Amino acid sequence: MSTINPPRGTHDLIGDDSLKYLYVNEVFHKAAQLYNYEYIETPIFESLSVFDRTLGETSDIVSKEMYVFEDRGGDKLCLRPEGTAGVARAFLSNSLQRSLPLKLYYSGSMFRYERPQKGRYRQFHQLGIETLGIDHVLADIECLQMASHFLAQLDLQGDTELHINSLGSADCRWAYREKLVSYFENYKSELSEDSQRRLSTNPLRILDSKNESDKKIISTAPQLEASLSTESLSRFEALQSGLEKLKIPFKKNSNLVRGLDYYNHLVFEYKTNALGAQDALLSGGRYDGLIQTMGGPQTPGIGFAAGVERLMMLLKQTPKKLAPVAIAPMSDDANSMATQVAEVIRVQGVPTDFIITGNLSNRLKKATRMQARGIIIIGEDEIANNVYTYKDFATSQQKRFTTDDLRKLFSSER
Ligand code: HAM
């Protein structure tokens, strides 16, 4: 039989990876709820217009990475490449204006037709938060506080560096764009092909270039900060002083522009050195114009999304699952005692599993392979006396227990 592989850029989640995936998700859910974010789930596919009108025609995502298809009814749809535009669409579809401010969080698959490499997939998972309706620096600070709390819970803070930048208001950005275009025009022939193209489509993205000769030209390019209005600058300064007070280390990076068009004012990325070219672990920013672009009322927004696969790759160890108790009914007559005691133990929060076949030494081996903490043996003698023999693998002690004794033994786990 020939091997059947998953589509390029996708992967199955099994074994240690699935433990890591669940752990990262669990830590995120806890952190988001601690910050009082509410869970939202939006469809995995949306009308194409949700993304192509909002992320920016010239962005990489819209110009070359979206999975676009027409369904049997002729509707143009798109597998979601990111979560923010879908949340903004849900805000409008559900008339949530009256519920502002809103703090929402999500987790799920995203799809981008990118060239697969370490840390970059075509189907990947994001964990994200979005705060809608608060145009205040405190919302920006809280967003970064939540991000840093989350990374600290995963013990990843030491492996990451927070980069921040301000894109200012739309006006500031236009003024800057003009300065940048006239500067890069002087070096046009020396720029990489990609950057030459971006000069007419999205010149700010040139600042993001990883090309070495581009980098040299970029190093003496005009700085965005010089084009920021007094208001934009003081917002950015308030954010920085808020972060300093919280002792959240950061680095100002005037070349950080992000690949999506909807941002204004704060943009940020938690970067890592551990993943090669795919150095962004968690990224986001403010998007005060997005909902208006979709035909809604002007509604400020700020949020971030983290890449689950990238976080998983950085985890220092595989999370341990709770060791189960193995249960060995030695004959069919023992089955009902086995199923009953299994439930008594599960209710105490301890996983249990049956080992149904084999002689005793065989079952002991299987229990060890299962990484069980111990085994409950139910033979003829146990049935006759309505008791269970429990062998604890840590102490090698073996004793008889009534159901009540077992309940007590495992209740300390809760
Ligand atoms: P983004 O930077 O496009 O932002 O993606 C967020 C994160 O998703 C990245 O930092 C990275 O960890 C992960 N990621 C992106 N592409 C891939 C890929 N192909 N394979 C694996 N991981 C990937 C957004 O999506 C915005 N919606 C974030 C946001 C939320 N801004 C405001 N609110």
Side-chain angles (χ1 to χ4, degrees):
M1 201 175 88
S2 65
T3 315
I4 301 172
N5 291 318
R8 196 162 131 77
T10 71
H11 55 275
D12 302 306
L13 208 52
I14 36 179
D16 281 2
D17 273 352
S18 72
L19 286 176
K20 288 181 184 172
Y21 174 84
L22 289 175
Y23 173 68
V24 168
N25 269 275
E26 189 185 313
V27 170
F28 181 73
H29 282 253
K30 268 197 198 138
Q33 285 167 17
L34 214 49
Y35 280 75
N36 208 28
Y37 286 83
E38 280 176 43
Y39 187 69
I40 181 171
E41 196 150 327
T42 60
I44 278 179
F45 60 86
E46 296 269 1
S47 292
L48 176 59
S49 58
V50 169
F51 302 110
D52 68 354
R53 286 186 14 218
T54 53
L55 309 188
E57 252 174 72
T58 57
S59 66
D60 284 350
I61 296 186
V62 173
S63 62
K64 53 187 185 197
E65 294 170 2
M66 292 199 302
Y67 281 88
V68 176
F69 63 100
E70 212 175 273
D71 71 7
R72 288 166 194 268
D75 288 335
K76 275 226 155 186
L77 301 169
C78 175
L79 294 184
R80 64 181 181 194
E82 59 104 55
T84 313
V87 168
R89 197 271 311 133
F91 169 77
L92 291 172
S93 310
N94 294 284
S95 308
L96 293 177
Q97 289 91 315
R98 275 171 271 124
S99 315
L100 288 174
L102 273 168
K103 291 169 70 176
L104 303 168
Y105 81 96
Y106 52 88
S107 71
S109 290
M110 307 290 158
F111 305 84
R112 297 184 192 177
Y113 189 79
E114 294 194 82
R115 198 164 44 78
Q117 53 175 248
K118 183 176 170 190
R120 189 164 74 189
Y121 305 98
R122 290 183 174 170
Q123 176 175 358
F124 60 98
H125 299 85
Q126 278 189 352
L127 299 167
I129 60 168
E130 311 292 353
T131 301
L132 302 178
I134 310 181
D135 180 15
H136 194 283
V137 70
L138 201 54
D140 302 24
I141 294 172
E142 188 192 38
C143 181
L144 285 171
Q145 198 177 11
M146 150 70 189
S148 110
H149 172 96
F150 170 52
L151 294 174
Q153 295 302 304
L154 292 174
D155 194 18
L156 294 183
Q157 253 187 338
D159 311 87
T160 58
E161 192 172 47
L162 170 62
H163 290 225
I164 61 171
N165 193 18
S166 172
L167 302 179
S169 61
D171 287 347
C172 306
R173 223 166 38 255
W174 272 108
Y176 180 57
R177 188 189 153 107
E178 274 173 29
K179 276 193 208 163
L180 212 54
V181 171
S182 62
Y183 169 81
F184 283 128
E185 283 290 353
N186 300 327
Y187 300 94
K188 192 166 176 180
S189 57
E190 295 159 54
L191 286 172
S192 66
E193 218 177 286
D194 251 359
S195 293
Q196 287 191 21
R197 189 173 39 79
R198 286 185 169 142
L199 192 51
S200 56
T201 56
N202 195 347
L204 264 70
R205 287 298 311 279
I206 298 177
L207 299 175
D208 244 3
S209 169
K210 306 242 154 60
N211 177 289
E212 286 308 318
S213 90
D214 284 358
K215 276 190 190 166
K216 242 188 236 152
I217 303 170
I218 292 163
S219 68
T220 51
Q223 299 276 304
L224 178 56
E225 202 163 342
S227 299
L228 293 185
S229 64
T230 327
E231 195 244 320
S232 294
L233 263 181
S234 71
R235 262 186 101 114
F236 193 37
E237 274 155 17
L239 169 89
Q240 292 171 55
S241 96
L243 292 179
E244 275 158 11
K245 293 210 174 85
L246 286 170
K247 301 203 166 31
I248 297 178
F250 63 88
K251 182 177 171 176
K252 276 205 303 181
N253 176 349
S254 55
N255 291 339
L256 181 73
V257 291
R258 307 273 297 121
L260 301 157
D261 268 14
Y262 51 59
Y263 291 115
N264 64 325
H265 293 297
L266 176 66
V267 287
F268 59 89
E269 264 177 20
Y270 269 94
K271 290 178 183 282
T272 172
N273 287 327
L275 296 177
Q278 304 314 309
D279 62 355
L281 204 57
L282 178 157
S283 1
R286 186 164 269 288
Y287 48 89
D288 297 335
L290 171 65
I291 290 177
Q292 213 167 15
T293 317
M294 298 176 102
Q298 202 279 327
T299 311
I302 176 149
F304 71 73
V308 179
E309 284 75 7
R310 294 184 191 180
L311 293 169
M312 285 163 56
M313 287 165 97
L314 292 192
L315 287 185
K316 303 196 171 65
Q317 54 210 11
T318 302
K320 288 204 171 52
K321 58 175 184 180
L322 274 180
V325 171
I327 301 179
M330 301 307 294
S331 68
D332 282 353
D333 293 340
N335 286 351
S336 70
M337 272 179 79
T339 49
Q340 284 170 51
V341 77
E343 204 50 29
V344 167
I345 298 170
R346 286 181 193 130
V347 168
Q348 304 310 313
V350 177
T352 64
D353 210 345
F354 300 114
I355 299 178
I356 300 166
T357 54
N359 60 25
L360 189 57
S361 87
N362 220 292
R363 295 199 203 199
L364 285 168
K365 272 190 211 132
K366 284 183 186 165
T368 314
R369 226 177 300 137
M370 192 191 270
Q371 296 182 332
R373 61 180 77 191
I375 186 165
I376 290 176
I377 302 153
I378 316 168
E380 271 173 37
D381 214 34
E382 282 83 4
I383 299 174
N385 293 295
N386 198 22
V387 290
Y388 301 90
T389 297
Y390 178 58
K391 178 170 183 170
D392 184 321
F393 288 157
T395 60
S396 290
Q397 278 193 356
Q398 183 167 315
K399 258 171 67 179
R400 286 194 163 186
F401 289 88
T402 62
T403 310
D404 245 7
D405 291 342
L406 282 176
R407 184 182 292 114
K408 276 186 209 131
L409 180 67
F410 293 111
S411 67
S412 56
E413 294 282 326
R414 300 186 91 184

